[in-house]
Amino acid sequence: MKRRELFGLAASMALAAGLAGPAAAQDALKIGAVGPKTGPLAGGAAVTFWPNVQLWAHDVNEAGGIDVGGTKRMVEIIEYDDQTNPGETIKAVQRLATQDEADFILAPYGTGLNIASAPIFERYGYPMVTHTAISDQIEDLSGKFPNMYFLLGGATGLAGGVVEVLSQMREAGEIGSSVAMVNVADAFGIELAEAARPQFEAAGFDIVYDSSYPLGTQDLSPVINGAKDANPDAFVAWSYPPDTFGLTEQAQIAGLAPKAFYTAVATAFPAYAGRFGAAAEGVLGAGGVYADGDAFKDYAARHEAVTGAKPDYWASAPAYASFQILQMAIEGAGTTDKAAVAEYIANNDFDTVIGPISWDENNSNAEYWTVGQWQGGVFKGVASTGRDGAVPAQPKTGWE
């Protein structure tokens, strides 16, 4: 667990205004941020989480800070690397609460790390608006941890989007009914696979290959070779960033090229298209955005201008939206009292970069993107539970 403080614009703008450094630091809101900088999920957090922490802090401080009861207060970000280790996430959140005395703590990156740290957020009264957690346990979790909220939806909905898209492709005569399915043996992958099996069966699909692999697996060739031997019409992987890249690479090497090829987290990363080029065209993946919408285009331009990197086409915007919700709740409550801010979140709607957010059993609107696809060099949303802007999915035509 490594700590890093970022005063960023909070210090520079305070000094520019003629304030002393110690006074500026004392007046700043301390915001904790915990996520992987090392370990298997570091690559994903480096795209989706950390740049949006930087962008949000920049936007807040550039605007003069967060208005707390009529007083503008800059934000100071205190970062911890949890090393993709739930135990380290728990320790980091606890240290932020007890030693750093953080005013608020941003939700961590990843399903498992959010679920692991939820009891600590609850113990110390911190509201927890998750941005990269997907689970069908939302009702149970929000019952245990009333201040825990979800922006990416549930496993059943995400898996159902894949089943829906494959069903449409089958009805169009583009694929048959056999599916090879694999998953990372982590909370995310296990729950998605469990949610997908009965839905595939109900839709008349035959899962001809069903396998899992440990988080951090380096050699994925046995997984891909097993799938290829099953000769599926569609390949579906409930994968995390390192394996999303690894599975795609191995599929190219082995010649596994069904007309429906789906990998989950990181398929929406600009680096995915950057690495695979034209071969990425037609690949399906988790999430998506209304890529042609003005709101996303504006956000993406600001993201790149401030961080030097493009956002991903799925969870980047929800990550930023979760920070916006916290900010609006602090300003709406007019205080840094955590209980008052948590109550404000529970009882209000929010206008964010991903659109209006209201709560249904601590789930945001129950409207979220489920499937996207690389089309014309852009990862466009092709299925959702109610979002506007979806485009039709297209069959993949090989790895050329």
Side-chain angles (χ1 to χ4, degrees):
M1 180 175 62
K2 300 177 182 177
R3 182 181 190 269
R4 181 185 176 197
E5 288 192 19
L6 294 182
F7 290 86
L9 285 177
S12 63
M13 292 182 70
L15 290 172
L19 298 176
Q26 183 179 2
D27 292 336
L29 286 175
K30 292 183 178 180
I31 308 293
V34 181
K37 290 180 178 286
T38 55
L41 296 186
V47 174
T48 301
F49 180 62
W50 294 115
N52 281 291
V53 174
Q54 178 188 354
L55 175 61
W56 177 70
H58 168 275
D59 288 349
V60 167
N61 290 336
E62 187 176 52
I66 295 178
D67 187 340
V68 184
T71 300
K72 286 289 191 80
R73 297 178 64 180
M74 302 292 193
V75 297
E76 168 196 337
I77 305 296
I78 305 174
E79 297 183 1
Y80 281 102
D81 172 16
D82 64 18
Q83 304 164 42
T84 317
N85 182 325
E88 294 298 320
T89 311
I90 291 168
K91 287 194 292 185
V93 173
Q94 186 154 11
R95 181 167 180 173
L96 281 164
T98 60
Q99 297 184 38
D100 299 316
E101 297 182 340
D103 293 291
F104 296 96
I105 304 173
L106 306 177
Y109 175 84
T111 300
L113 302 180
N114 273 281
I115 292 175
S117 60
I120 309 302
F121 274 81
E122 184 69 20
R123 179 185 303 173
Y124 295 103
Y126 288 100
M128 186 182 191
V129 184
T130 71
H131 40 76
T132 47
I134 298 170
S135 178
D136 279 344
Q137 304 175 57
I138 291 175
E139 185 175 356
D140 179 59
L141 288 168
S142 61
K144 294 177 181 176
F145 315 117
N147 295 332
M148 187 179 191
Y149 294 85
F150 296 79
L151 292 184
L152 285 191
T156 295
L158 195 72
V162 176
V163 175
E164 174 191 347
V165 169
L166 296 187
S167 295
Q168 291 170 352
M169 295 179 72
R170 183 179 58 186
E171 290 170 8
E174 295 164 347
I175 64 171
S177 295
S178 62
V179 177
M181 185 176 74
V182 304
N183 68 275
V184 60
D186 172 88
F188 168 83
I190 293 170
E191 189 168 349
L192 263 296
E194 289 178 348
R197 289 186 189 99
Q199 293 191 72
F200 275 128
E201 181 180 356
F205 285 96
D206 181 19
I207 300 178
V208 294
Y209 180 76
D210 190 346
S211 183
S212 66
Y213 54 88
L215 180 66
T217 298
Q218 298 295 313
D219 182 10
L220 291 163
S221 58
V223 176
I224 289 296
N225 289 335
K228 183 184 178 184
D229 289 344
N231 192 30
D233 296 303
F235 174 82
V236 174
W238 307 113
S239 54
Y240 264 149
D243 22 309
T244 290
F245 283 83
L247 290 165
T248 304
E249 187 172 84
Q250 286 298 323
Q252 291 179 281
I253 292 170
L256 173 63
K259 290 186 177 180
F261 186 91
Y262 172 100
T263 46
V265 183
T267 314
F269 289 4
Y272 186 92
R275 178 168 174 178
F276 297 111
E281 192 73 7
V283 172
L284 297 161
V289 296
Y290 177 25
D292 297 323
D294 291 339
F296 180 78
K297 288 181 178 179
D298 176 68
Y299 157 74
R302 290 190 298 105
H303 186 288
E304 187 168 8
V306 172
T307 70
K310 297 178 184 295
D312 72 53
Y313 289 97
W314 180 27
S316 279
Y320 187 86
S322 73
F323 309 153
Q324 286 183 304
I325 290 170
L326 176 61
Q327 177 183 349
M328 286 185 279
I330 295 169
E331 294 182 335
T335 176
T336 58
D337 179 77
K338 293 189 287 293
V341 172
E343 183 178 359
Y344 190 94
I345 293 174
N347 295 317
N348 288 275
D349 299 337
F350 301 89
D351 187 14
T352 74
V353 70
I354 59 173
I357 296 296
S358 57
W359 307 112
D360 177 11
E361 295 291 346
N362 290 30
N363 186 14
S364 64
N365 311 332
E367 295 178 359
Y368 49 90
W369 289 100
T370 55
V371 185
Q373 185 178 46
W374 283 102
Q375 297 182 7
V378 177
F379 191 78
K380 299 183 177 183
V382 298
S384 76
T385 61
R387 293 291 184 183
D388 295 328
V391 300
Q394 302 171 0
K396 184 161 178 55
T397 57
W399 293 112
E400 296 78 11

